[in-house]
Amino acid sequence: GNMIGAWNTYPFLPSGNILVNDRSYGLFICKVNPPYSSPSSPTVSIGRDGSDNVVLSWTSVENVRGYAVERSLTVDGTYEVIAEHLDSTGFVDTSVKFQAAFYKVKAVNGEGFGVSSILSSAGATIEPSQSPTTPAPTSSCGNGVCEMSEAASSCATDCGDLSFMVNGVGAKGAQGSMFEVRVTRSIAVSSLDFFSGNSNTEQVQVYTRPGS
């Protein structure tokens, strides 16, 4: 009952320090004289999974107590710790989908740390979760416009029959007509015929002007 000693000890801190709780004098933070140096810098690889999450993996280094991952949205910005005290050699960042980010990985022990070079997720290769599929093409057939991707053989509704006939009475009682053709692509006119339904008309005059 008169023994004076340590109530509790905790030797598992990532720093390598040891917590000792003494019954008479409170908490002590102890550090064993280490026979090791700071860890070296890990070599990190970066990629993306099928959900566009950033996947980091790195080599294991000696004398390490844990790993930390830091991230910044700009290469020269402030890097914040997004994971620490890791005992594995990998981490998946799920919070920066579809945008670029920059990463550092630190190997830590009680004497210091080794930090990796900066890696960018912008050039990370996406690893598909399944075989890619070709999306079905969308069709605009039926919208009343003969598109560049359409032809009479593929969309008769829009491109099948482009012939037309107009008839009208012009100013001052003269028989005449005006028409315009609006297109969304270059067209070739195969034939253009003018005729009058009046037997008394011996001549048809044609006036044209370029479109705008």
Side-chain angles (χ1 to χ4, degrees), residues 50-61:
S51 300
D52 207 55
N53 300 314
V54 178
V55 180
L56 299 168
S57 59
W58 53 88
T59 56
S60 177
V61 298

Side-chain angles (χ1 to χ4, degrees), residues 12 14 41 62 69 78 81 84 87 94 145 147 159 164 185:
F12 305 111
S41 300
E62 295 183 355
V69 179
T78 301
V81 178
E84 58 184 342
D87 56 8
T94 61
V145 179
E147 306 284 356
C159 307
F164 55 88
R185 61 176 180 176

